[in-house]
Structure formats: structure tokens, C-alpha cells
């Protein structure tokens, strides 16, 4: 829907978020901006993530691991939360937190070659 999931405020909030994401596809939006000294260029990465069904006991165990405490959407795709992911369409690194492809494109447009002379 139109819900925006930030970081959970407590266990109840995290379990509620995970229950709402369970068996559903959600969109992760990550913005990046670069200032080149003259202008700001920005890009938005949009990635669809589909979760499998999450058992409530499994969600509680995940919360107790401590991992989702400070993660938007109450999960970390790069960690234990990756076990919930059935499918991803888009930028894995955007879901982690920094869409690398899009960031490199912005840096190149600003005249910065992230790989030096070789790339």
C-alpha cells in the first residue's frame, strides 16, 4: 500500500511490520545525491522485494537476534533477514542501503572515476 516503514520503535512494532510484509511484495526506495561543486544531481533506486510467509515464532526469534532493531522495515537483507526474501527485482545494494550502480553513475557524471584509470 502507501505505508512507509521506518525503523521499529520496539518489539511489538517490529513484529507488526514483519507480519505485514509476510507473503507480500514491498518496494524499497533509496535516494542518492552528489554535489559536484556547481549542482546537485540525484537518483532514486526502486527495488521490489518479495517475502515468503513468516511464522510469528520465527519473527520473534529474529527480533531477539537484535538485528532488526535499527533497520528500516525491521529487517536486514544482508544478514539473517535475508532468509525471508523469496525474490528481489532491482538493486540488492539499494536494499542494503547504498545503491552502488546508481551512485557510481552519479560520480562518473561528476567527473569522478571510482576505479581510477582502469574503469
Amino acid at each position: 500500500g502507501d505505508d512507509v516503514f521506518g525503523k521499529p520503535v520496539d518489539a511489538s512494532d517490529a513484529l507488526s511490520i514483519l507480519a505485514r510484509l509476510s507473503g507480500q511484495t514491498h518496494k524499497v526506495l533509496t535516494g542518492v545525491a552528489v554535489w559536484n561543486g556547481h549542482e546537485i544531481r540525484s537518483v532514486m533506486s526502486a527495488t521490489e522485494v518479495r517475502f515468503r510467509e513468516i511464522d510469528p515464532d520465527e519473527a520473534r526469534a529474529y527480533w531477539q537476534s537484535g538485528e532488526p532493531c535499527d533497520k528500516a522495515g525491521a529487517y536486514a537483507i544482508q544478514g539473517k533477514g535475508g532468509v525471508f526474501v523469496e525474490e528481489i527485482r532491482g538493486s540488492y545494494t539499494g536494499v542494503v542501503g547504498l545503491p552502488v550502480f546508481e551512485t557510481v553513475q552519479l560520480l562518473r557524471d561528476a567527473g569522478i572515476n571510482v576505479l581510477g584509470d582502469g574503469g
Side-chain angles (χ1 to χ4, degrees), residues 21-91:
L21 295 176
S22 178
Q24 302 296 315
T25 299
H26 62 280
K27 190 178 289 187
V28 176
L29 302 173
T30 308
V32 178
V34 171
W35 168 254
N36 67 9
H38 304 289
E39 66 179 339
I40 295 175
R41 304 275 317 261
S42 63
V43 67
M44 178 74 68
S45 168
T47 302
E48 290 184 352
V49 180
R50 176 156 183 80
F51 271 18
R52 64 172 172 79
E53 294 288 333
I54 302 170
D55 180 88
D57 290 335
E58 189 177 30
R60 277 189 290 282
Y62 181 55
W63 171 258
Q64 291 171 354
S65 77
E67 186 175 89
C69 297
D70 65 344
K71 305 294 186 282
Y75 75 97
I77 194 171
Q78 72 276 20
K80 294 175 183 174
V83 303
F84 303 136
V85 178
E86 184 175 304
E87 182 180 13
I88 180 172
R89 291 183 185 202
S91 173

